[in-house]
């Protein structure tokens, strides 16, 4: 008996044509098609990263087990966001910059106030000793313990006799394999009275700037120098490329203090000369301004009011430093003669050699020509701070907060 052939429908060449697929997210598609010969043709329509296959034609079907995957196109935004998310999950919280702060004997009190401003600042001491011949015998305790640390030194060049021993420490610290080194010198002392007028005059401010510019480089690079209200503005250009000076100011401390006064709305600011006006008037521009000037009358130089009216005002004389105080006293008298009801003074650096601070008395009310209501200074000159402590009209505005903030940069 002849075998009966099964009834198989005739093969239609178009039977393998696919119906149009609804658009679907490519990321959700995983289609399996046969591998295609080079002659096969595929027509697609892509809109906004979604793909529609409108037709699928081929010459001859292949093995359907070979997969062809449609992969979502690369998106730089989504990939960067994913990377950022992973990074934020993996990275720890940013650490606060911790600083080891060394100091000399004169700046111990200021260093303690700086450390009190931030838990990230740790005080470290130095053994300041001398040999029998008077030369320094210095020792840095636990020198290995500061390796890899951020280190700062709070200096006070109050006299030539202490500069050498402090420079010895300043030059030694960066070599102890520390991460960075910052020298805080609140008062840059040299050049305050120098006048380069005759051949042979020596600019000692330039000499000191060159010495500081050659401090050894630490692992983190050049030394950072922090100083306040340097006397001569051109001195900032004396420093070389191996040091990074940061020139700060004590004027913000004065502005905060003036805002606390009961007569803060009646304050005028007086500058004893054009030099003080040039360096400070932009920081105090919201106050009424009075500018004084020295003029020569015969053999004498007297102070005159160049512009402004002090009548009925509480006038604050502002300058960067005071030595003997002669100019301030002359300025005080001329302001009182022109009707100032109260007179106060501010200087960043109260040097007062030979106890010249004793020339300034307190005005208890009604005698602005004989005394000052307030005399504000900062603690940039530690010896003066100790001398005038609890002696009106003097009041100390501490640089501790400004120094602590700068050390955290």
């Amino acid at each position: 008996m002849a075998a009966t052939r099964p009834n198989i429908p005739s093969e239609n060449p178009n039977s393998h044509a696919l119906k149009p697929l609804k658009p679907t997210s490519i990321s959700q598609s995983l289609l399996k098609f046969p591998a295609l010969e080079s002659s096969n043709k595929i027509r697609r329509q892509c809109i906004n990263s979604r793909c529609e296959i409108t037709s699928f034609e081929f010459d001859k079907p292949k093995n359907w087990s070979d997969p062809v995957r449609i992969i979502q196109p690369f998106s730089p935004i989504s990939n960067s966001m994913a990377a950022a998310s992973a990074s934020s999950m993996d990275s720890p919280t940013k650490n606060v910059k911790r600083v080891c702060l060394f100091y000399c004997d004169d700046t111990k009190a200021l260093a303690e106030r700086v450390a009190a401003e931030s838990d990230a600042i740790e005080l470290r001491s130095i053994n300041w000793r001398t040999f029998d011949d008077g030369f320094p015998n210095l020792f840095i305790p636990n020198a290995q313990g500061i390796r890899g640390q951020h280190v700062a030194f709070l200096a006070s060049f109050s006299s030539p006799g202490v500069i050498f021993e402090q420079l010895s420490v300043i030059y030694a610290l960066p070599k102890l394999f520390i991460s960075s080194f910052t020298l805080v010198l609140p008062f840059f002392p040299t050049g305050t009275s120098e006048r380069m007028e005759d051949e042979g005059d020596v600019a000692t401010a330039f000499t000191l700037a060159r010495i500081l510019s050659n401090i050894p480089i630490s692992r983190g690079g050049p030394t950072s120098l922090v100083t306040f209200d340097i006397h001569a503005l051109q001195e900032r250009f004396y420093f070389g490329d191996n040091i990074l000076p940061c020139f700060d100011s004590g004027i913000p401390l004065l502005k905060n203090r003036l805002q606390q006064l009961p007569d803060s709305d009646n304050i005028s600011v007086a500058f004893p000369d054009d030099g003080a006006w040039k360096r400070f008037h932009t920081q105090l521009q919201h106050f009424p301004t009075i500018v004084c000037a020295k003029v020569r009358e015969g053999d004498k130089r007297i102070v005159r009011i160049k512009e402004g009216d002090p009548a009925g005002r509480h006038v604050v004389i502002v300058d960067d430093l005071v030595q003997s105080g002669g100019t301030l006293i002359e300025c005080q008298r001329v302001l009182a003669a022109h009707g100032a009801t109260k007179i106060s003074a501010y200087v960043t650096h109260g040097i007062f050699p030979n106890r010249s601070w004793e020339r300034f008395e307190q005005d208890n009310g009604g005698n602005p020509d004989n005394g000052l209501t307030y005399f504000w200074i900062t603690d940039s000159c530690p010896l003066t701070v100790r001398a005038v402590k609890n002696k009106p009209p003097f009041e100390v505005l501490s640089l501790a907060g400004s120094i602590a903030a700068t050390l955290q940069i």
Side-chain angles (χ1 to χ4, degrees), residues 323 352-353 355-361 384 387-388 391 394:
Q323 297 256 16
F352 295 118
R355 298 177 63 90
S356 58
W357 55 267
E358 295 177 341
R359 301 178 64 181
F360 295 92
E361 298 180 357
T384 298
V388 303
K391 291 182 174 64
F394 292 98

Side-chain angles (χ1 to χ4, degrees), residues 129-138 161 164-165:
R129 305 167 300 188
T130 57
F131 293 106
D132 293 338
D133 57 3
F135 277 85
N137 177 15
L138 309 172
F164 176 69
E165 62 181 11

Side-chain angles (χ1 to χ4, degrees), residues 270-274 290-297 300-307 317 319 325-338:
F271 301 106
D273 51 40
D274 288 334
I290 301 164
V291 181
C292 300
K294 288 182 179 181
V295 297
R296 184 175 296 278
E297 288 189 356
K300 296 182 179 180
R301 296 186 68 184
I302 63 174
V303 175
R304 294 278 181 88
I305 294 180
K306 182 179 178 181
E307 61 180 77
I317 307 169
D319 208 350
T327 301
L328 282 180
I329 291 175
E330 291 182 32
C331 191
Q332 170 193 349
R333 289 172 180 170
V334 71
L335 291 170
H338 285 76

Side-chain angles (χ1 to χ4, degrees), residues 24-37:
T24 181
S25 173
I26 299 177
S27 62
Q28 298 174 353
S29 299
L30 183 59
L31 305 181
K32 297 183 178 181
F33 299 113
L36 306 178
E37 299 290 342

Side-chain angles (χ1 to χ4, degrees), residues 5 28 33 66 93 135 144-145 205 207 243 262 264 325-326 337 346 367 381 386 390:
R5 185 177 181 180
Q28 298 174 353
F33 299 113
D66 296 335
T93 304
F135 277 85
Q144 291 185 345
T207 303
I243 194 168
S264 59
Y346 165 86
N367 296 300
C381 300
R386 290 199 290 265
N390 299 324

Side-chain angles (χ1 to χ4, degrees), residues 275-297:
W277 177 84
K278 289 178 181 178
R279 67 181 304 145
F280 292 130
H281 81 279
T282 55
Q283 298 184 67
L284 299 165
Q285 58 185 348
H286 59 287
F287 291 101
T289 300
I290 301 164
V291 181
C292 300
K294 288 182 179 181
V295 297
R296 184 175 296 278
E297 288 189 356

